[in-house]
Amino acid sequence: MVNYQPDLETAQSLSGEDLGTSGMNIIEVIETVIDSLDQTDSAMVSETDGGHVWKFKYGSVEVFVQLTGTTEEDTFTVWSTVMNLPAKNEPDLMRKLLEMNWMNTFEAHFGIFNNQITVLSSRTVAELSPGEISRLITIVATIADENDDALRAEFGQE
């Protein structure tokens, strides 16, 4: 099993305190982390009344980060698509993903959204630290990038 060690240096330099109590700019922290992981200078952000959504390229996958707002009740979500459905031998694929969810995905997990297998992590903004932001973005990006090619090769319809 790989031990994921996110690049925390930049994010932690912004503040070691919880976001809910420090008044730190969570958007700035997210953008700093994305900038450190974005391998192709592809990062984009969309701002709406519903919050912010960032997209960037990490290896062979696109990673999305959504922040619905900055109050403690708002949510911070990171996801990346690893393959489209339908797939070959879906019962075996689902079993494999559930087994991987048990021990290999840390704070993230595999799920299905819009007929796509995704890796995702989501939590409220309450007491969210810069280290957690960096860790969750890094975990989702790394797990998606490390598994997309193998899952497509074994189960993909392409």
Short mmCIF file of all heavy atoms in Angstrom, two decimals, residues 105-144:
data_model
loop_
_atom_site.label_atom_id
_atom_site.label_comp_id
_atom_site.label_asym_id
_atom_site.label_seq_id
_atom_site.Cartn_x
_atom_site.Cartn_y
_atom_site.Cartn_z
N THR A 105 -8.23 3.72 -0.01
CA THR A 105 -8.64 5.05 -0.45
C THR A 105 -8.58 6.12 0.63
O THR A 105 -8.95 7.27 0.38
CB THR A 105 -10.07 5.00 -1.04
OG1 THR A 105 -10.95 4.46 -0.06
CG2 THR A 105 -10.11 4.17 -2.31
N PHE A 106 -8.12 5.77 1.83
CA PHE A 106 -7.97 6.74 2.91
C PHE A 106 -9.27 7.51 3.14
O PHE A 106 -10.30 6.89 3.31
CB PHE A 106 -6.77 7.66 2.64
CG PHE A 106 -5.50 6.89 2.43
CD1 PHE A 106 -5.06 6.58 1.15
CD2 PHE A 106 -4.77 6.43 3.52
CE1 PHE A 106 -3.90 5.84 0.95
CE2 PHE A 106 -3.61 5.69 3.33
CZ PHE A 106 -3.18 5.40 2.04
N GLU A 107 -9.24 8.85 3.10
CA GLU A 107 -10.45 9.65 3.34
C GLU A 107 -11.31 9.80 2.09
O GLU A 107 -12.34 10.46 2.14
CB GLU A 107 -10.09 11.05 3.86
CG GLU A 107 -9.44 11.06 5.21
CD GLU A 107 -7.92 10.96 5.16
OE1 GLU A 107 -7.35 10.68 4.09
OE2 GLU A 107 -7.31 11.14 6.22
N ALA A 108 -10.91 9.21 1.01
CA ALA A 108 -11.68 9.25 -0.24
C ALA A 108 -12.39 7.92 -0.45
O ALA A 108 -12.19 6.98 0.33
CB ALA A 108 -10.74 9.54 -1.42
N HIS A 109 -13.20 7.84 -1.50
CA HIS A 109 -13.85 6.58 -1.85
C HIS A 109 -14.28 6.62 -3.30
O HIS A 109 -14.38 7.68 -3.90
CB HIS A 109 -15.04 6.28 -0.92
CG HIS A 109 -16.09 7.35 -0.94
ND1 HIS A 109 -16.03 8.47 -0.15
CD2 HIS A 109 -17.22 7.49 -1.67
CE1 HIS A 109 -17.07 9.24 -0.38
NE2 HIS A 109 -17.82 8.67 -1.31
N PHE A 110 -14.52 5.43 -3.85
CA PHE A 110 -15.05 5.33 -5.21
C PHE A 110 -16.56 5.44 -5.14
O PHE A 110 -17.19 4.99 -4.18
CB PHE A 110 -14.67 3.99 -5.85
CG PHE A 110 -13.23 3.90 -6.25
CD1 PHE A 110 -12.29 3.33 -5.42
CD2 PHE A 110 -12.81 4.40 -7.48
CE1 PHE A 110 -10.97 3.25 -5.78
CE2 PHE A 110 -11.48 4.33 -7.86
CZ PHE A 110 -10.55 3.75 -7.01
N GLY A 111 -17.14 6.04 -6.16
CA GLY A 111 -18.59 6.17 -6.26
C GLY A 111 -18.99 6.26 -7.72
O GLY A 111 -18.15 6.23 -8.62
N ILE A 112 -20.30 6.37 -7.94
CA ILE A 112 -20.84 6.52 -9.28
C ILE A 112 -21.60 7.82 -9.34
O ILE A 112 -22.44 8.10 -8.48
CB ILE A 112 -21.78 5.35 -9.66
CG1 ILE A 112 -21.02 4.03 -9.65
CG2 ILE A 112 -22.43 5.61 -11.02
CD1 ILE A 112 -21.92 2.81 -9.87
N PHE A 113 -21.31 8.62 -10.37
CA PHE A 113 -22.02 9.88 -10.60
C PHE A 113 -22.14 10.08 -12.11
O PHE A 113 -21.13 9.99 -12.82
CB PHE A 113 -21.27 11.05 -9.96
CG PHE A 113 -21.92 12.38 -10.21
CD1 PHE A 113 -23.12 12.70 -9.58
CD2 PHE A 113 -21.35 13.30 -11.06
CE1 PHE A 113 -23.74 13.91 -9.81
CE2 PHE A 113 -21.96 14.52 -11.30
CZ PHE A 113 -23.15 14.83 -10.67
N ASN A 114 -23.33 10.33 -12.60
CA ASN A 114 -23.57 10.57 -14.03
C ASN A 114 -22.97 9.47 -14.91
O ASN A 114 -22.30 9.75 -15.89
CB ASN A 114 -23.01 11.92 -14.47
CG ASN A 114 -23.92 13.06 -14.12
OD1 ASN A 114 -25.09 12.88 -13.80
ND2 ASN A 114 -23.38 14.26 -14.15
N ASN A 115 -23.19 8.22 -14.52
CA ASN A 115 -22.68 7.07 -15.28
C ASN A 115 -21.16 7.08 -15.40
O ASN A 115 -20.61 6.66 -16.41
CB ASN A 115 -23.33 6.98 -16.66
CG ASN A 115 -24.42 5.95 -16.68
OD1 ASN A 115 -24.60 5.18 -15.74
ND2 ASN A 115 -25.15 5.91 -17.78
N GLN A 116 -20.49 7.54 -14.37
CA GLN A 116 -19.03 7.54 -14.33
C GLN A 116 -18.56 7.06 -12.97
O GLN A 116 -19.15 7.40 -11.95
CB GLN A 116 -18.48 8.95 -14.57
CG GLN A 116 -18.82 9.51 -15.93
CD GLN A 116 -18.36 10.95 -16.07
OE1 GLN A 116 -18.50 11.75 -15.15
NE2 GLN A 116 -17.81 11.27 -17.24
N ILE A 117 -17.49 6.27 -12.98
CA ILE A 117 -16.83 5.88 -11.74
C ILE A 117 -15.93 7.04 -11.34
O ILE A 117 -15.13 7.53 -12.14
CB ILE A 117 -15.97 4.60 -11.92
CG1 ILE A 117 -16.80 3.43 -12.42
CG2 ILE A 117 -15.22 4.27 -10.63
CD1 ILE A 117 -17.83 2.92 -11.44
N THR A 118 -16.09 7.51 -10.12
CA THR A 118 -15.30 8.63 -9.63
C THR A 118 -14.60 8.26 -8.33
O THR A 118 -15.00 7.33 -7.64
CB THR A 118 -16.18 9.87 -9.36
OG1 THR A 118 -17.13 9.54 -8.34
CG2 THR A 118 -16.90 10.35 -10.60
N VAL A 119 -13.56 9.00 -8.03
CA VAL A 119 -12.94 9.00 -6.70
C VAL A 119 -13.34 10.33 -6.09
O VAL A 119 -13.24 11.37 -6.75
CB VAL A 119 -11.41 8.90 -6.78
CG1 VAL A 119 -10.79 8.96 -5.39
CG2 VAL A 119 -10.97 7.65 -7.51
N LEU A 120 -13.82 10.31 -4.85
CA LEU A 120 -14.27 11.56 -4.26
C LEU A 120 -14.06 11.61 -2.76
O LEU A 120 -13.92 10.57 -2.10
CB LEU A 120 -15.74 11.81 -4.56
CG LEU A 120 -16.74 10.88 -3.89
CD1 LEU A 120 -17.87 11.67 -3.31
CD2 LEU A 120 -17.26 9.87 -4.90
N SER A 121 -14.06 12.83 -2.26
CA SER A 121 -14.03 13.09 -0.83
C SER A 121 -14.81 14.37 -0.59
O SER A 121 -14.71 15.32 -1.38
CB SER A 121 -12.59 13.24 -0.34
OG SER A 121 -12.58 13.39 1.07
N SER A 122 -15.59 14.39 0.48
CA SER A 122 -16.40 15.56 0.77
C SER A 122 -16.56 15.72 2.27
O SER A 122 -16.68 14.72 2.99
CB SER A 122 -17.79 15.42 0.11
OG SER A 122 -18.54 16.59 0.27
N ARG A 123 -16.56 16.95 2.73
CA ARG A 123 -16.79 17.24 4.15
C ARG A 123 -17.24 18.68 4.31
O ARG A 123 -17.16 19.47 3.36
CB ARG A 123 -15.55 16.96 4.98
CG ARG A 123 -14.35 17.80 4.60
CD ARG A 123 -13.36 17.96 5.73
NE ARG A 123 -13.96 18.81 6.75
CZ ARG A 123 -13.42 19.04 7.93
NH1 ARG A 123 -12.29 18.50 8.26
NH2 ARG A 123 -14.00 19.82 8.81
N THR A 124 -17.72 19.01 5.49
CA THR A 124 -18.11 20.40 5.74
C THR A 124 -16.85 21.25 5.93
O THR A 124 -15.76 20.74 6.22
CB THR A 124 -19.00 20.53 6.99
OG1 THR A 124 -18.26 20.08 8.13
CG2 THR A 124 -20.29 19.74 6.84
N VAL A 125 -17.03 22.54 5.81
CA VAL A 125 -15.93 23.48 5.96
C VAL A 125 -15.56 23.65 7.44
O VAL A 125 -14.43 24.03 7.76
CB VAL A 125 -16.31 24.83 5.31
CG1 VAL A 125 -15.30 25.91 5.61
CG2 VAL A 125 -16.46 24.64 3.80
N ALA A 126 -16.46 23.33 8.35
CA ALA A 126 -16.20 23.52 9.78
C ALA A 126 -14.89 22.86 10.19
O ALA A 126 -14.66 21.68 9.93
CB ALA A 126 -17.35 22.93 10.60
N GLU A 127 -14.01 23.66 10.78
CA GLU A 127 -12.72 23.21 11.30
C GLU A 127 -11.82 22.57 10.25
O GLU A 127 -10.93 21.79 10.57
CB GLU A 127 -12.92 22.29 12.49
CG GLU A 127 -13.66 22.95 13.63
CD GLU A 127 -13.87 22.05 14.83
OE1 GLU A 127 -13.18 21.02 14.93
OE2 GLU A 127 -14.71 22.39 15.66
N LEU A 128 -12.01 22.90 9.00
CA LEU A 128 -11.17 22.40 7.91
C LEU A 128 -9.84 23.14 7.92
O LEU A 128 -9.80 24.36 7.89
CB LEU A 128 -11.89 22.62 6.58
CG LEU A 128 -11.23 22.14 5.30
CD1 LEU A 128 -11.07 20.62 5.33
CD2 LEU A 128 -12.07 22.54 4.09
N SER A 129 -8.75 22.40 7.99
CA SER A 129 -7.42 23.01 8.06
C SER A 129 -6.75 23.01 6.69
O SER A 129 -7.12 22.24 5.80
CB SER A 129 -6.55 22.25 9.06
OG SER A 129 -6.18 20.99 8.51
N PRO A 130 -5.74 23.84 6.50
CA PRO A 130 -4.99 23.83 5.24
C PRO A 130 -4.39 22.46 4.95
O PRO A 130 -4.36 22.03 3.80
CB PRO A 130 -3.89 24.87 5.47
CG PRO A 130 -4.43 25.78 6.50
CD PRO A 130 -5.28 24.91 7.39
N GLY A 131 -3.91 21.77 5.97
CA GLY A 131 -3.37 20.43 5.79
C GLY A 131 -4.40 19.46 5.26
O GLY A 131 -4.10 18.62 4.40
N GLU A 132 -5.63 19.56 5.77
CA GLU A 132 -6.71 18.68 5.28
C GLU A 132 -7.06 18.99 3.84
O GLU A 132 -7.32 18.09 3.05
CB GLU A 132 -7.95 18.83 6.16
CG GLU A 132 -7.82 18.20 7.52
CD GLU A 132 -9.05 18.47 8.36
OE1 GLU A 132 -9.20 19.63 8.82
OE2 GLU A 132 -9.84 17.54 8.54
N ILE A 133 -7.08 20.26 3.50
CA ILE A 133 -7.36 20.65 2.11
C ILE A 133 -6.33 20.02 1.19
O ILE A 133 -6.66 19.37 0.20
CB ILE A 133 -7.39 22.19 1.95
CG1 ILE A 133 -8.60 22.77 2.67
CG2 ILE A 133 -7.39 22.59 0.47
CD1 ILE A 133 -8.58 24.28 2.79
N SER A 134 -5.06 20.18 1.54
CA SER A 134 -3.99 19.63 0.72
C SER A 134 -4.07 18.11 0.66
O SER A 134 -3.94 17.52 -0.42
CB SER A 134 -2.63 20.06 1.31
OG SER A 134 -1.58 19.54 0.55
N ARG A 135 -4.29 17.48 1.79
CA ARG A 135 -4.35 16.02 1.83
C ARG A 135 -5.50 15.48 0.98
O ARG A 135 -5.33 14.55 0.20
CB ARG A 135 -4.49 15.53 3.27
CG ARG A 135 -4.56 14.01 3.39
CD ARG A 135 -4.47 13.54 4.83
NE ARG A 135 -4.78 12.14 4.95
CZ ARG A 135 -3.90 11.15 4.76
NH1 ARG A 135 -2.67 11.44 4.41
NH2 ARG A 135 -4.26 9.88 4.90
N LEU A 136 -6.70 16.05 1.12
CA LEU A 136 -7.85 15.53 0.37
C LEU A 136 -7.69 15.72 -1.13
O LEU A 136 -7.99 14.82 -1.91
CB LEU A 136 -9.14 16.19 0.87
CG LEU A 136 -9.54 15.83 2.30
CD1 LEU A 136 -10.80 16.59 2.72
CD2 LEU A 136 -9.72 14.35 2.48
N ILE A 137 -7.22 16.89 -1.55
CA ILE A 137 -7.00 17.11 -2.98
C ILE A 137 -5.95 16.13 -3.51
O ILE A 137 -6.11 15.51 -4.56
CB ILE A 137 -6.62 18.57 -3.28
CG1 ILE A 137 -7.79 19.51 -2.95
CG2 ILE A 137 -6.20 18.73 -4.74
CD1 ILE A 137 -7.44 20.99 -3.01
N THR A 138 -4.86 15.97 -2.76
CA THR A 138 -3.77 15.09 -3.19
C THR A 138 -4.21 13.63 -3.22
O THR A 138 -3.88 12.90 -4.17
CB THR A 138 -2.56 15.26 -2.25
OG1 THR A 138 -2.16 16.63 -2.27
CG2 THR A 138 -1.40 14.38 -2.70
N ILE A 139 -4.95 13.19 -2.22
CA ILE A 139 -5.41 11.79 -2.18
C ILE A 139 -6.32 11.50 -3.37
O ILE A 139 -6.13 10.49 -4.06
CB ILE A 139 -6.13 11.50 -0.85
CG1 ILE A 139 -5.11 11.36 0.27
CG2 ILE A 139 -6.98 10.23 -0.95
CD1 ILE A 139 -5.72 11.25 1.66
N VAL A 140 -7.30 12.33 -3.62
CA VAL A 140 -8.23 12.09 -4.74
C VAL A 140 -7.47 12.08 -6.06
O VAL A 140 -7.63 11.17 -6.88
CB VAL A 140 -9.38 13.13 -4.75
CG1 VAL A 140 -10.16 13.05 -6.05
CG2 VAL A 140 -10.31 12.90 -3.56
N ALA A 141 -6.62 13.07 -6.28
CA ALA A 141 -5.87 13.15 -7.53
C ALA A 141 -4.98 11.93 -7.73
O ALA A 141 -4.94 11.33 -8.81
CB ALA A 141 -5.04 14.43 -7.56
N THR A 142 -4.27 11.54 -6.68
CA THR A 142 -3.32 10.42 -6.78
C THR A 142 -4.04 9.10 -6.99
O THR A 142 -3.64 8.30 -7.85
CB THR A 142 -2.44 10.37 -5.52
OG1 THR A 142 -1.77 11.63 -5.37
CG2 THR A 142 -1.41 9.26 -5.62
N ILE A 143 -5.08 8.84 -6.23
CA ILE A 143 -5.82 7.57 -6.37
C ILE A 143 -6.45 7.48 -7.76
O ILE A 143 -6.39 6.42 -8.40
CB ILE A 143 -6.86 7.40 -5.26
CG1 ILE A 143 -6.16 7.17 -3.92
CG2 ILE A 143 -7.82 6.26 -5.57
CD1 ILE A 143 -7.07 7.18 -2.72
N ALA A 144 -7.03 8.57 -8.23
CA ALA A 144 -7.64 8.55 -9.57
C ALA A 144 -6.57 8.29 -10.63
O ALA A 144 -6.76 7.45 -11.51
CB ALA A 144 -8.36 9.87 -9.84
#
